[in-house]
Amino acid sequence: MFNSFRSASKRAINSKLVTGAVATSALTASYVLYQDSQVAEAMTAAEHGLHPPEYGWSHNGMFDTFDHASIRRGFQVYREVCAACHSLDRVAWRNLVGVSHTTSEAKEMAEEFEYDDEPDDQGNPKKRPGKLADYIPGPYANEQAARAANQGALPPDLSLIVKARHGACDYIFSLLTGYPDEPPAGVQLPPGTNYNPYFPGGAIAMGRVLFDGLVEYEDGTEATTSQMAKDVTTFLNWAAEPEHDERKKMGLKAIIITSSLYLLAVWVKKFKWQPIKNRKIVWTPPRK
Amino acid sequence: MSAFTNIYNLIFKRNSTYVASVFAGAFAFQAFFDAGVTSWYEAHNRGKLWKDIKGKIGGGDEDEEDDDE
Amino acid sequence: MLRSLARNSVGLKSLGQARTLSSSVTALKSNYDSPDFSHYLKKDRNADKTRDFTYFMVGSFGLLSAAGAKSTVESFLSTMSASADVLAMAKVEVKLANIPEGKNVIVKWQGKPVFIRHRTQAEIEEANDIDISTLRDPQKDADRVKNPEWLIMLGICTHLGCVPIGEAGDFGGWFCPCHGSHYDISGRIRRGPAPLNLEIPEYDFADPDTLVVG
């Protein structure tokens, strides 16, 4: 009896100690990180790139789909601007059908490219126009060719880039629109690089590519730098998460079903336990 | 006999009819629930979906066969 | 379950009358005093309604669980069906305008050769002129084509799976070099070891100029 009381009070002291230690380390860590963020030296938080602001993407909400008109414009930006250097290996032409393009549009675009066909009877390699089942071709034959064309830097594949970078959409958008006219005073850039505060380290091999009016949108949207950056980011998010719209709908269904099941389970439990919990035991002591 | 008694005699009294109606109800519910959630979801996202912008593209594609993507 | 509720709600005051629902014989014989629960009961109590409601709630619990279990099983089963990229590759489109009359074209479909022949009028007549009762695998030409101008079949010999040579053999059709099977202009076996006619794959004309195999 007494022992158990002692161990209980001991446990209470222990848990207070743990809570205190966690709180102290959290406070210390945030203080150090804050101090680090004030200077841009090596081994500081700033070395990992400026934290992008949170933007109000139209697909941010729990039940919000992608803006498919934006995906369509974004694909145009990818095709006319990004595709000069970046591949999109995991997206096939057929994936665009029913998302941003019609079957015939996707077919037409696929046919503009040539793909390897089965060799002919003499064994000579043959080419054929692209089909819906083909994947969108990259600008370079292989990694070496890509590096050679870009002064040693490899433009990353964009299929999963939104998932592959911290900050996701916010980061991509900030990076595309975040090039200052000239680097801040005192910044020393390695040759062949450009300054971008959002890029970890600040020196990025890719230059600013989006300028107002660079593409002409078919739906009449004005092609400002930020509009194009927003559209292409939405498109890249779709490329990384093509299941996005369906997933959120599934989530909505799952929430409705599981919460109803929970409420019903509570009711059934109460019902089942009612006669047991309401039981009364009466004992009348025998008279002497 | 009240309506409640009728329902009881019709469905709940026998385990066979009870279980059968639960399973039949599950099938009906799924179809109804899918349709309901989908229509809410599409209303919630009206204007952003592919089917909303499809009509505006290039004067509308004539016959769009529904692909199994 | 329900029975025990009913027992409780009726109250245990006067045994023998109220406990008719009980299954226990000893309970009926009991002469202990029991407390009175009747003041817990609602005044305007509709026993049928309460019972229906209870069954409904338990039934709904089962219904939602069944629906959830069903869609779980369905999603597991759907992983067994062909994925989208396989389905996309499963069809081959051929532009027929490029194939002149009296010419053979071989396309690859799911790794297998598919013979496409643009038959001339004479060849169609020749294919129809044969008395099919004399054939090893009797089949009318009309049963082997959707449009008599176009003969589409799998280019795999039904004997041992070689690829026959076009415009060869004794019957103006195909000839298998491996063991000498002769096929006619409708792809039917005429002489040699092969037991069956050349197989016809599933195909369709998307429009008069486009053939979709698969």
Side-chain angles (χ1 to χ4, degrees), chain C residues 88-131:
Chain C
M89 302 272 248
K91 285 181 188 230
V92 164
E93 254 181 53
V94 186
K95 290 262 176 274
L96 293 177
N98 303 335
I99 307 173
E101 234 179 323
K103 265 286 190 194
N104 277 341
V105 161
I106 304 175
V107 295
K108 272 272 166 75
W109 172 66
Q110 298 184 351
K112 290 171 273 193
V114 171
F115 293 161
I116 302 171
R117 175 149 185 100
H118 195 170
R119 297 195 294 190
T120 61
Q121 202 54 44
E123 286 170 341
I124 298 170
E125 275 162 25
E126 186 193 328
N128 279 320
D129 266 356
I130 288 150
D131 176 14

Side-chain angles (χ1 to χ4, degrees), chain A residues 52 57 161-173 233 237:
Chain A
W57 297 97
I161 202 77
V162 170
K163 271 183 177 170
R165 295 289 179 268
H166 285 293
C169 282
D170 295 334
Y171 169 75
I172 308 288
F173 180 85
T233 307
N237 197 354

Side-chain angles (χ1 to χ4, degrees), chain B:
Chain B
M1 280 219 291
S2 76
F4 294 113
T5 324
N6 281 333
I7 293 173
Y8 175 76
N9 286 335
L10 212 64
I11 298 172
F12 300 139
K13 196 172 180 181
R14 289 163 193 280
N15 203 37
S16 55
T17 54
Y18 187 40
V19 172
S21 55
V22 163
F23 280 109
F27 274 84
F29 168 79
Q30 227 179 9
F32 167 81
F33 182 64
D34 276 3
V37 168
T38 307
S39 74
W40 180 84
Y41 190 65
E42 282 173 2
H44 182 71
N45 292 295
R46 194 175 302 288
K48 286 157 73 182
L49 299 169
W50 165 243
K51 62 178 195 138
D52 299 327
I53 64 163
K54 194 164 98 178
K56 296 177 198 157
I57 294 164
D61 209 67
E62 324 77 49
D63 51 319
E64 192 54 38
E65 69 262 40
D66 262 317
D67 272 53
D68 35 11
E69 310 285 321

Side-chain angles (χ1 to χ4, degrees), chain C residues 195-208:
Chain C
L196 297 170
N197 303 334
L198 287 176
E199 201 188 323
I200 307 289
E202 242 175 70
Y203 66 91
D204 224 338
F205 295 97
D207 55 73

Side-chain angles (χ1 to χ4, degrees), chain A residues 1-16:
Chain A
M1 181 73 191
F2 181 67
N3 270 346
S4 75
F5 169 76
R6 235 196 15 198
S7 72
S9 72
K10 220 176 184 176
R11 228 177 290 136
I13 292 173
N14 269 349
S15 78
K16 267 182 195 149

Side-chain angles (χ1 to χ4, degrees), chain A residues 249-268:
Chain A
K249 192 164 97 182
M250 184 85 90
L252 172 62
K253 282 189 201 167
I255 287 171
I256 293 177
I257 294 283
T258 48
S259 52
S260 328
L261 270 179
Y262 171 70
L263 294 177
L264 281 169
V266 168
W267 189 91
V268 170

Side-chain angles (χ1 to χ4, degrees), chain A residues 37-251:
Chain A
S37 69
Q38 302 298 301
V39 286
E41 286 163 2
M43 303 298 289
T44 62
E47 200 196 4
H48 300 293
L50 191 57
H51 202 75
E54 252 177 56
Y55 293 104
W57 297 97
S58 66
H59 54 265
N60 265 354
M62 231 172 139
F63 306 124
D64 287 338
T65 61
F66 284 130
D67 182 354
H68 286 245
S70 186
I71 295 179
R72 188 181 166 88
R73 291 193 297 265
F75 179 70
Q76 191 186 345
V77 176
Y78 166 76
R79 200 161 164 239
E80 294 179 16
V81 185
C82 317
C85 304
H86 289 278
S87 57
L88 198 63
D89 284 344
R90 285 161 200 274
V91 180
W93 296 106
R94 65 186 161 79
N95 295 131
L96 298 172
V97 175
V99 173
S100 57
H101 294 76
T102 63
T103 313
S104 43
E105 282 173 325
K107 263 186 199 162
E108 264 171 47
M109 289 191 291
E111 278 164 11
E112 288 172 21
F113 292 91
E114 283 204 320
Y115 289 83
D116 289 336
D117 200 0
E118 300 273 341
D120 65 8
D121 297 341
Q122 271 74 48
N124 303 315
K126 264 197 314 188
K127 291 279 186 185
R128 61 167 172 78
K131 296 184 295 189
L132 280 182
D134 291 313
Y135 285 78
I136 294 177
Y140 305 111
N142 48 49
E143 188 187 323
Q144 284 74 9
R147 284 192 189 278
N150 290 287
Q151 298 150 0
L154 175 70
D157 184 74
L158 293 186
S159 320
L160 296 169
I161 202 77
V162 170
K163 271 183 177 170
R165 295 289 179 268
H166 285 293
C169 282
D170 295 334
Y171 169 75
I172 308 288
F173 180 85
S174 302
L175 189 85
L176 289 174
T177 53
Y179 287 91
D181 288 337
E182 47 191 58
V187 171
Q188 299 264 325
L189 289 172
T193 61
N194 303 278
Y195 180 73
N196 192 317
Y198 297 100
F199 190 72
I204 183 171
M206 177 175 122
R208 179 179 169 180
V209 281
L210 295 178
F211 297 93
D212 287 354
L214 190 61
V215 302
E216 199 178 323
Y217 286 135
E218 55 180 2
D219 61 0
T221 310
E222 202 189 334
T224 59
T225 302
S226 55
Q227 177 72 40
M228 286 186 288
K230 176 222 154 191
D231 289 339
V232 83
T233 307
T234 309
F235 166 71
L236 291 176
N237 197 354
W238 167 79
E241 297 181 273
E243 80 293 346
H244 174 279
D245 293 0
E246 204 52 40
R247 166 163 63 80
K248 284 185 172 171
K249 192 164 97 182
M250 184 85 90

Side-chain angles (χ1 to χ4, degrees), chain C residues 71-82:
Chain C
S71 59
T72 308
V73 169
E74 277 170 355
S75 50
F76 273 108
L77 288 182
S78 69
T79 61
M80 293 185 200
S81 57

